[in-house]
């Protein structure tokens, strides 16, 4: 940092008059000595710990470890809470509140005397929401990811703490699971601190955070219960102080090349489709022009290098023991932008040049991948004019080109009421169409796109069908599921006028999704369509419905795109 450049916190603490007295005095009741206010960098520790967010339960302890590192490096740690988003607890969906949490993060950072930021994250939306908020302020920022749980063990089977969710109905129907069996499985699946241990959204976002260059190299793969997680937390505390001195802000790390690297890495690890919405929103906050099509053109030809659920058989603990993300990054070096800068001040090339793979059944070589092409396919057609997405690595190859008769559910409630009706006119060749679960419609775009199949088809041994919706699906889930249909049904996209019995054609190779009706009939249906009433008329939910953008734009609030920077012109007295 330029010696002439003043610390941002000095605008609060460096004044010898009344306002300096005000800003320092009330902090004195915490027992802080004089040198805390005399030119030491103030580091904000943004903590998403909450007892209502079980995946982040360890972050209270992690904060104390980060503080040690900050103090050792000569900084002043200031921990603050922000809204936490418990994926497994909150209704109707944490995605509804991602943008609210980003606002909380942004304004907490901007309004306070902070020179650098450490984001303590874990559960799905806590990572993108805090990064989005921090991007809109653009201070030196580093992420401490909370880490995945240890592998689940149930009756001799290795089970994922997310993927097991999607097996419950099938096992109840086909294996006779009792209530007692379910209770036992619950404990066995989630047996340690940390977030989901598959390559679901939490692990995907942690992995992408490292691929973007926002964590210390190697940090994202370590299980939450491993002692090395705390060691890295302490080192992160030290490093953020140096980043402030170097003025290494988010905008210097999050370049276009960094986002392209993240797309490539996401494909190679079989990451969640949810990354698309989160990475797009982050890019639009920091001012990088990232399009939905980029996820296909950049990522769809990337080979799958990681054999992990839901695209494979292993879990995050196995991934770490095999060498973790550093091995993947080294393998991908010929495909990445290797000279991008990361938060440790070094390039990707330097960070991962000495890594070793310890298990090629978990992490493959680039020349011998588990799949030749992975990533995300972006579909276009009259059923999704602005785009839709599918994850080929988690889908059934035989369904990647499919023509089927639509079985339509107008709402989630309609689906729950009728899906297991033995008289429902549905077979394995049908296409399940779910409406009203997009950003405005639900509201919040929940992870319901991978809806369970009907009991009568599960009983026949059917485990996958084509499913289409304007919602999302959990990154822990698998199936031939078309998601993020845009425009969504609630705003009058073509999905809104699909009827039972319509024929739908999916061709992933050609990147098309088509409703087989002529243009005149489509125009007639749209003209007769009546918009549903909004589900809220007050508070944040109304604000969200009024201002949320469509999935292809990242589902951010339109007035939050971009940033306001770190400068606050007016004081409090």
């Amino acid at each position: 940092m330029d010696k002439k450049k003043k610390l941002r916190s000095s605008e609060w603490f460096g004044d010898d008059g009344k306002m300096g007295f005000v800003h320092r005095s009330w902090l004195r009741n915490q027992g802080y000595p004089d040198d805390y206010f005399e030119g030491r960098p103030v580091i904000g520790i943004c903590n998403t710990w909450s007892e209502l967010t079980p995946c982040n339960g360890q972050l209270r302890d992690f904060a104390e470890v980060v503080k040690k590192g900050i103090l050792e490096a000569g900084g002043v740690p200031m921990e603050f809470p922000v809204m936490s988003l418990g994926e497994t607890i909150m209704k109707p969906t944490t995605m509804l509140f991602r943008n609210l949490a980003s606002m909380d993060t942004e304004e907490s950072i901007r309004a306070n005397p902070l020179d650098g930021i450490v984001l303590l994250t874990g559960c799905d939306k806590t990572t993108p929401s805090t990064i989005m908020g921090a991007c809109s302020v653009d201070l030196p920022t580093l992420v401490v990811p909370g880490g995945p749980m240890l592998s689940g063990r149930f009756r001799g089977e290795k089970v994922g703490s997310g993927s097991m969710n999607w097996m419950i109905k099938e096992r109840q129907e086909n294996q006779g699971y009792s209530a007692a069996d379910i209770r036992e499985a619950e404990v066995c699946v989630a047996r340690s601190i940390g977030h989901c241990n598959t390559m679901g959204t939490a692990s995907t976002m942690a992995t992408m955070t490292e691929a973007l260059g926002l964590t210390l190299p190697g940090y994202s793969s370590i299980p939450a219960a491993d002692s090395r997680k705390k060691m890295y937390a302490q080192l992160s505390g030290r490093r953020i102080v140096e980043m402030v001195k170097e003025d290494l802000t988010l905008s210097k790390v999050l370049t276009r090349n960094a986002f392209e690297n993240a797309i490539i890495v996401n494909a190679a690890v079989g990451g969640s489709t949810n990354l698309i919405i989160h990475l797009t929103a982050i890019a639009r906050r920091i001012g990088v022009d990232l399009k939905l099509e980029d996820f296909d053109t950049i990522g769809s030809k990337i080979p799958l290098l990681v054999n992990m659920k839901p695209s494979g058989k292993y879990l995050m603990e196995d991934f770490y023991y095999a060498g973790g993300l550093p091995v993947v990054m080294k393998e991908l070096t010929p495909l990445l932008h290797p000279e991008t800068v990361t938060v440790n001040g070094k390039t990707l090339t330097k960070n991962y040049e000495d890594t070793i793979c310890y298990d090629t059944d978990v992490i493959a070589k680039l020349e011998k991948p588990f799949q030749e092409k992975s990533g995300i396919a972006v579909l276009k057609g009259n059923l999704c004019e602005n785009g839709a997405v599918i994850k080929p690595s988690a889908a059934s190859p035989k369904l990647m080109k499919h023509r089927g008769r639509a079985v339509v559910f107008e709402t989630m409630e309609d689906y729950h009421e009728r899906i297991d009706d033995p008289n429902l006119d549905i077979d394995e060749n049908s296409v399940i169409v779910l409406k009203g679960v997009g950003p405005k419609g639900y509201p919040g775009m929940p992870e319901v796109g991978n809806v369970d199949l009907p009991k009568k088809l599960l009983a026949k041994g059917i485990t996958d069908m084509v499913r289409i919706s304007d919602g999302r699906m959990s990154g822990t889930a698998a199936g031939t599921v078309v998601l993020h249909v845009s425009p969504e049904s609630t705003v009058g996209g073509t999905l809104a006028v699909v009827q039972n019995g319509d024929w739908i054609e999916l061709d992933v190779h050609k990147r098309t999704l088509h409703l087989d009706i002529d243009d005149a009939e489509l125009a007639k249906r749209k003209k007769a369509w009546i918009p549903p009433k909004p589900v809220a008329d007050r508070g944040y939910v109304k604000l969200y419905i009024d201002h949320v953008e469509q999935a292809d734009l990242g589902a951010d609030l339109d007035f939050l795109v971009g940033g306001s920077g770190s400068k606050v012109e007016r004081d409090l007295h």
Side-chain angles (χ1 to χ4, degrees):
M1 185 172 70
D2 188 336
K3 292 183 178 179
K4 296 180 181 179
K5 182 178 174 64
K6 292 173 59 178
L7 288 171
R8 181 173 179 268
S9 57
S10 68
E11 297 177 15
W12 279 259
F13 300 141
D15 179 69
D16 288 331
K18 180 184 75 171
M19 292 317 303
F21 177 90
V22 169
H23 293 310
R24 294 187 300 268
S25 179
W26 272 267
L27 280 172
R28 293 289 197 175
N29 75 353
Q30 301 298 304
Y32 294 148
D34 288 349
D35 63 355
Y36 269 42
F37 308 106
E38 294 175 353
R40 294 173 64 175
V42 179
I43 308 299
I45 302 174
C46 175
N47 200 343
T48 57
W49 170 87
S50 169
E51 290 183 344
L52 292 170
T53 308
C55 298
N56 294 19
Q58 72 277 22
L59 296 185
R60 174 183 271 180
D61 294 335
F62 278 28
E64 296 304 316
V65 180
V66 173
K67 289 176 186 177
K68 284 168 54 178
I70 293 169
L71 288 166
E72 289 165 350
V76 176
M78 293 282 184
E79 181 184 355
F80 64 94
V82 292
M83 183 180 189
S84 191
L85 304 174
E87 190 71 25
T88 59
I89 302 293
M90 296 182 77
K91 295 182 179 183
T93 171
T94 52
M95 186 62 184
L96 175 61
F97 304 108
R98 183 201 67 176
N99 300 335
L100 179 59
S102 79
M103 294 171 70
D104 188 357
T105 302
E106 175 182 346
E107 302 305 340
S108 293
I109 293 172
R110 183 181 296 112
N112 285 292
L114 304 174
D115 301 302
I117 306 297
V118 176
L119 304 176
L120 302 190
T121 70
C123 194
D124 293 14
K125 309 305 180 297
T126 61
T127 302
S129 65
T130 53
I131 294 174
M132 287 163 64
C135 281
S136 292
V137 187
D138 195 21
L139 294 176
T141 302
L142 180 152
V143 179
V144 169
M149 299 180 195
L150 299 177
S151 299
R153 296 281 182 173
F154 178 57
R155 298 178 179 176
E157 180 184 3
K158 184 181 287 188
V159 288
S161 54
S163 296
M164 185 67 174
N165 301 348
W166 317 115
M167 304 176 189
I168 295 300
K169 182 177 179 180
E170 180 184 343
R171 294 195 177 192
Q172 286 174 322
E173 293 300 313
N174 295 345
Q175 298 182 31
Y177 268 35
S178 67
D181 294 332
I182 297 297
R183 295 290 187 275
E184 181 184 353
E186 288 171 7
V187 179
C188 294
V189 167
R191 68 185 185 92
S192 82
I193 58 173
H195 57 65
C196 288
N197 52 23
T198 60
M199 190 52 76
T201 306
S203 293
T204 296
M205 289 311 301
T207 299
M208 292 313 99
T209 299
E210 182 171 340
L212 285 167
L214 295 181
T215 73
L216 296 184
Y219 199 179
S220 66
S221 307
I222 307 173
D226 194 299
S227 61
R228 285 164 284 195
K229 203 71 176 179
K230 287 187 176 180
M231 179 191 75
Y232 270 77
Q234 188 165 347
L235 295 175
S236 297
R238 295 180 186 177
R239 177 57 194 158
I240 188 62
V241 177
E242 296 304 311
M243 287 176 64
V244 171
K245 294 176 181 178
E246 297 164 10
D247 197 28
L248 184 54
T249 59
L250 273 171
S251 58
K252 295 175 182 176
V253 176
L254 294 180
T255 61
R256 167 76 189 194
N257 284 350
F259 283 96
E260 292 188 2
N261 286 343
I263 293 172
I264 292 168
V265 173
N266 184 65
V269 302
S272 169
T273 51
N274 288 311
L275 170 88
I276 299 170
I277 288 182
H278 300 320
L279 203 65
T280 301
I282 292 167
R284 298 184 80 214
R285 291 291 187 98
I286 205 69
V288 170
D289 183 22
L290 197 64
K291 305 292 188 188
L292 177 62
E293 292 75 15
D294 291 331
F295 291 88
D296 196 329
T297 56
I298 296 169
S300 65
K301 298 178 179 62
I302 302 300
L304 181 67
L305 300 184
V306 178
N307 185 9
M308 196 187 313
K309 293 178 184 289
S311 299
K313 67 178 183 179
Y314 291 105
L315 296 170
M316 284 296 293
E317 188 178 356
D318 306 304
F319 181 52
Y320 177 58
Y321 298 151
L325 189 64
V327 174
V328 178
M329 299 295 280
K330 182 178 180 180
E331 282 295 318
L332 291 173
T333 297
L335 307 178
L336 296 170
H337 300 287
E339 299 306 309
T340 51
V341 175
T342 68
V343 290
N344 72 344
K346 300 178 181 178
T347 64
L348 282 181
T349 305
K350 278 292 181 185
N351 283 340
Y352 302 108
E353 61 185 0
D354 297 324
T355 59
I356 300 172
C357 180
Y358 301 103
D359 191 339
T360 54
D361 194 41
V362 180
I363 307 174
K365 291 287 187 181
L366 191 60
E367 60 269 19
K368 194 177 179 181
F370 297 114
Q371 289 184 26
E372 289 295 333
K373 295 180 181 179
S374 184
I376 305 297
V378 175
L379 310 173
K380 290 290 181 73
N382 69 345
L383 192 48
C384 54
E385 295 163 285
N386 295 343
V389 303
I390 189 171
K391 182 178 177 180
S393 65
S396 299
K398 67 178 183 179
L399 293 175
M400 299 291 273
K401 183 176 182 180
H402 183 78
R403 185 173 187 267
R405 183 174 48 82
V407 178
V408 176
F409 299 94
E410 296 292 336
T411 64
M412 271 309 298
E413 291 75 19
D414 181 29
Y415 162 81
H416 286 304
E417 183 178 339
R418 295 193 295 120
I419 189 63
D420 290 325
D421 183 345
N423 297 316
L424 181 67
D425 185 12
I426 189 171
D427 61 31
E428 58 268 34
N429 296 312
S430 300
V431 174
I432 294 176
V433 175
L434 177 62
K435 304 179 185 180
V437 292
K440 292 180 183 289
Y442 200 72
M445 204 179 178
E447 293 181 340
V448 296
N450 55 309
V451 288
D452 291 331
L453 306 190
K455 287 182 179 180
K456 66 181 182 181
L457 295 185
L458 292 174
K460 289 175 59 178
I462 304 302
T463 57
D464 194 14
M465 293 172 62
V466 175
R467 286 155 276 180
I468 300 173
S469 79
D470 44 15
R472 299 177 299 118
M473 81 171 179
S474 169
T476 64
T480 310
V481 185
V482 176
L483 304 155
H484 308 186
V485 169
S486 177
E488 65 176 296
S489 59
T490 302
V491 300
T494 301
L495 188 67
V497 298
V498 177
Q499 297 177 1
N500 281 309
D502 285 344
W503 288 90
I504 293 175
E505 293 185 58
L506 168 67
D507 191 328
V508 176
H509 177 71
K510 291 183 177 179
R511 299 298 196 263
T512 58
L513 182 65
H514 187 74
L515 177 65
D516 286 349
I517 61 174
D518 61 40
D519 292 343
E521 174 63 17
L522 179 57
K524 178 182 175 183
R525 290 187 190 183
K526 286 193 172 186
K527 185 176 181 180
W529 177 76
I530 301 173
K533 292 182 179 179
V535 297
D537 58 8
R538 66 168 301 278
Y540 170 73
V541 179
K542 175 175 170 49
L543 181 72
Y544 176 92
I545 292 171
D546 289 348
H547 292 279
V548 69
E549 297 183 314
Q550 288 294 291
D552 59 298
L553 297 177
D556 202 355
L557 302 186
D558 53 17
F559 60 84
L560 291 179
V561 175
S564 301
S566 63
K567 186 69 175 176
V568 181
E569 296 292 346
R570 289 176 167 172
D571 219 321
L572 72 161
H573 282 293

